[in-house]
Amino acid sequence: MIAVARPDRHSARLFVVAADGTMRDLPRNKLATLFDPGDLVVANDAATLPASLQGTHVPSGKAIEIRLAGWLSLPDPTRFVAIAFGLGDYRTRTEDRLPPPALSTGDRLWLGPLEAVVERLLDHPRLLELCFAGNRAAVLAGMAQHGRPIQYAHVPEPLALWDVWTKIAARPFAFEAPSAGFGLDWRTLQAWRRRAVGFAALTHAAGVSSTGDPALDSRLPFDEPYRISERTAAQVARAKLRGSRIIAIGTSVVRALEAAANPDGSVRAGNGIATGRIERGTPLRVVDAILTGVHQPGESHFELLRAFADDALLAKASAALTACRYRAHEFGDSVLLNC
């Protein structure tokens, strides 16, 4: 599968895998026609933070990049789980990046206008808990001024923050874009409304997709908070009662809905934490289908798809995606996978 050279959503394609194993290659704008009246589509409305911060490790004077990767306290944007990189930027492949300077508890970092302190190291030399000096407003202003979206080398041009916000982006909550949502546009939402296909949103703190370190990557996804409104919970409950399908736009939506699932397939409203992996053998109590990107075996996103389909079907789909030159990564093409 090929990566994209730049965000190009107008030529995007859609690969549909039906429950009986049949497969179709469609333009992505056909997504508006694929669901039945009464079905409920659920998307992640999290906006993406400028979570990549370049700066200096004060004790050594060496360059460092901090990528924010998790909330330590959801209402508090001054404390995060973060991943550290050494000299360089997104133009170098993540797996080829230099390691950061040796970090210790109490080390100070200058990240543009922001000052931060390493509160503690976790059980990996690049994984840490970070605390920013200042109040909420000052930290958010510093991020907006100095931070950039987390970016990878497959897109050569620098991304602006609006490049990584979906059409429905609302509250800044995610560390990387909930990129399956790039498949949505206002015409699709309008078409669903005309056809009585329901639409709902939740907010999930979509995390980093790659750290460049196999040991850290094996832990992905990290624990991720989410919020489900009373309205969305009620929409899910009504859809389940009438026997309609729940279609998740992206792996982050699957994680949130299944973490909030009740035994009857309804979901609990409110705040929660999505923990652990969804993988082969994980029972899905809420979600019936997923719109996602093109993922590779071994990635945490691909592992989640094994809860929807057996390995033989996924292998067949992966071979077809490769043969048809579907584009991978966050600005690539889409796959609709039905249980």
Side-chain angles (χ1 to χ4, degrees):
M1 284 167 278
I2 61 173
V4 295
R6 61 185 177 83
D8 178 10
R9 298 163 196 167
H10 300 292
S11 62
R13 299 159 69 191
L14 174 65
F15 192 75
V16 180
V17 183
D20 63 2
T22 58
M23 301 177 186
R24 289 186 286 167
D25 176 20
L26 301 172
R28 194 160 67 187
N29 60 17
K30 293 297 184 182
L31 182 65
T33 68
L34 297 180
F35 306 136
D36 298 325
D39 287 347
L40 179 65
V41 178
V42 185
N44 184 359
D45 67 4
T48 309
L49 291 160
S52 170
L53 299 161
Q54 295 276 354
T56 303
H57 176 243
V58 174
S60 68
K62 294 182 178 179
I64 193 169
E65 179 191 357
I66 292 295
R67 294 186 180 181
L68 307 179
W71 296 90
L72 282 172
S73 177
L74 192 54
D76 179 8
T78 66
R79 300 179 66 243
F80 295 92
V81 173
I83 300 167
F85 294 81
L87 181 68
D89 60 20
Y90 71 90
R91 294 175 181 86
T92 300
R93 292 193 315 158
T94 308
E95 55 267 37
D96 296 332
R97 287 287 300 273
L98 294 173
L103 297 167
S104 300
T105 299
D107 283 359
R108 291 166 57 231
L109 309 175
W110 284 113
L111 304 169
L114 296 170
E115 180 183 2
V117 173
V118 177
E119 285 196 317
R120 69 180 180 121
L121 296 176
L122 301 177
D123 53 351
H124 188 282
R126 291 177 49 211
L127 190 64
L128 57 129
E129 291 183 359
L130 193 69
C131 180
F132 289 99
N135 59 26
R136 174 188 177 89
V139 173
L140 291 175
M143 286 185 192
Q145 175 185 342
H146 180 66
R148 297 190 57 84
I150 292 174
Q151 184 173 346
Y152 298 96
H154 58 268
V155 179
E157 298 300 323
L159 295 173
L161 194 56
W162 52 80
D163 289 323
V164 295
W165 283 26
T166 66
K167 298 293 187 185
I168 63 167
R171 184 170 179 267
F173 203 72
F175 300 100
E176 290 188 15
S179 55
F182 290 144
L184 303 181
D185 57 33
W186 298 118
R187 288 184 179 179
T188 299
L189 298 184
Q190 185 180 47
W192 284 338
R193 185 171 183 176
R194 287 197 301 265
R195 299 181 63 245
V197 174
F199 181 77
L202 55 77
T203 308
H204 179 281
V208 296
S209 56
S210 176
T211 69
D213 182 286
L216 276 180
D217 282 349
S218 69
R219 305 184 194 183
L220 298 177
F222 297 145
D223 293 351
E224 295 164 343
Y226 63 84
R227 288 178 174 170
I228 298 176
S229 69
E230 294 282 355
R231 182 175 184 273
T232 293
Q235 287 176 277
V236 171
R238 288 194 295 268
K240 284 293 183 182
L241 281 173
R242 61 178 175 260
S244 298
R245 290 188 302 165
I246 307 295
I247 299 100
I249 305 298
T251 58
S252 63
V253 174
V254 178
R255 293 197 78 212
L257 290 177
E258 295 298 331
N262 295 311
D264 64 355
S266 62
V267 296
R268 299 177 295 277
N271 297 339
I273 303 290
T275 61
R277 280 192 173 196
I278 295 174
E279 55 195 354
R280 183 176 63 181
T282 303
L284 298 173
R285 292 182 287 180
V286 182
V287 180
D288 302 295
I290 179 174
L291 180 76
T292 187
V294 177
H295 303 300
Q296 306 283 359
E299 297 174 350
S300 62
H301 294 78
F302 187 92
E303 291 301 302
L304 182 143
L305 300 183
R306 299 176 78 195
F308 286 85
D310 62 35
D311 288 351
L313 180 57
L314 289 176
K316 182 181 175 183
S318 292
L321 290 166
T322 300
C324 295
R325 295 182 62 81
Y326 266 69
R327 301 174 301 174
H329 300 297
E330 70 271 35
F331 299 112
D333 298 310
S334 298
V335 176
L336 178 65
L337 183 60
N338 296 280
C339 285

